[in-house]
Amino acid sequence: MKTVLLHGLGQTAQDWKDVVCQLSTSNVECPELFSSMGNEISYSRILANLERQYSDATEPLYICGLSLGALLALDFTIRHGDKVASLVLIGAQYKVPTLLIDFQNLLFRCMPAKSFYNMGLSKSDTIKLSHSMRSLDFTSQLSKITCPVTVLCGEKDRANLKASKKLNELLSQATLQIVSGAGHEINKDAPEAIAAILNM
């Protein structure tokens, strides 16, 4: 089984390093989600790249995604459920809250460009990508996900706690874990919690 780790917006594949070093398998991939986007960045293009990357996968995929990565993991599994053995969804939304995205974009617009240097995307591309996610809503398609799912949320991740609890109710094979003391970026705050789940 191949483990695929999908990073969030404001992160790069490097942000999984503390998780990867604690995994019991070496069959792990951490795709750089923004690396080949050029000037046409959008959620749909990132998803299409991911679909191309794993279209010929012959071994079951164990997908773990954080935030944007969790949205992609959900979407990919809805479309290609036969390829996915299990999911770990961290700080996940299944219906993107428009007000939250708009507020986030307002904050991005106020931030200096240099704040984005280590995020894998420029300021304008970050805003473009966020805007392209405004209409995502997987509510009516969640029944297509039949594999086991672990929904993870940091105790301090108040923006995603309610959605995580609701997602756990909506997915028939899901279990919910609240990670004590962690915020949104559990791969940085509590990598051992993610590794323990992936090593099961």
Side-chain angles (χ1 to χ4, degrees):
M1 187 149 58
K2 183 188 295 292
T3 299
V4 180
L5 305 177
L6 303 177
H7 63 79
L9 183 61
Q11 291 194 343
T12 68
Q14 190 63 20
D15 289 299
W16 290 109
K17 67 181 189 302
D18 292 336
V19 174
V20 172
C21 72
Q22 298 181 58
L23 295 180
S24 55
T25 177
S26 58
N27 193 7
V28 182
E29 290 184 1
C30 307
E32 284 289 1
L33 298 177
F34 314 135
S35 59
S36 57
M37 289 289 104
N39 291 323
E40 296 300 318
I41 190 152
S42 68
Y43 172 85
S44 59
R45 287 199 67 190
I46 293 171
L47 176 65
N49 276 359
L50 204 61
E51 288 181 304
R52 273 193 296 275
Q53 190 165 350
Y54 294 105
S55 61
D56 298 326
T58 53
E59 56 191 327
L61 300 175
Y62 193 170
I63 306 179
C64 173
L66 181 141
S67 199
L68 165 63
L71 281 168
L72 289 163
L74 269 176
D75 206 345
F76 184 91
T77 306
I78 287 165
R79 295 163 186 260
H80 309 283
D82 57 316
K83 294 184 181 296
V84 183
S86 63
L87 282 176
V88 178
L89 304 172
I90 306 167
Q93 296 279 346
Y94 58 92
K95 178 181 180 180
V96 173
T98 307
L99 283 174
L100 188 62
I101 285 280
D102 289 346
F103 178 66
Q104 189 178 48
N105 267 350
L106 181 63
L107 292 179
F108 288 155
R109 289 177 196 282
C110 296
M111 289 165 64
K114 65 181 180 183
S115 303
F116 295 81
Y117 289 165
N118 296 321
M119 291 170 54
L121 282 177
S122 68
K123 177 176 177 173
S124 62
D125 282 347
T126 302
I127 292 167
K128 265 190 229 173
L129 175 55
S130 288
H131 189 74
S132 74
M133 294 159 54
R134 286 180 90 249
S135 60
L136 293 178
D137 183 354
F138 303 127
T139 309
S140 64
Q141 298 168 288
L142 291 176
S143 59
K144 294 180 181 178
I145 297 177
T146 55
C147 67
V149 181
T150 301
V151 180
L152 267 189
C153 193
E155 178 188 27
K156 298 177 181 175
D157 186 7
R158 292 181 181 84
N160 295 295
L161 203 49
K162 184 178 177 182
S164 294
K165 289 176 179 177
K166 186 65 178 172
L167 186 58
N168 178 58
E169 292 172 13
L170 292 170
L171 291 170
S172 58
Q173 304 292 329
T175 56
L176 174 67
Q177 289 192 31
I178 307 299
V179 182
S180 178
H184 182 53
E185 296 181 297
I186 300 179
N187 54 352
K188 295 179 181 179
D189 294 347
E192 68 286 348
I194 300 172
I197 292 164
L198 295 175
N199 286 334
M200 285 170 64

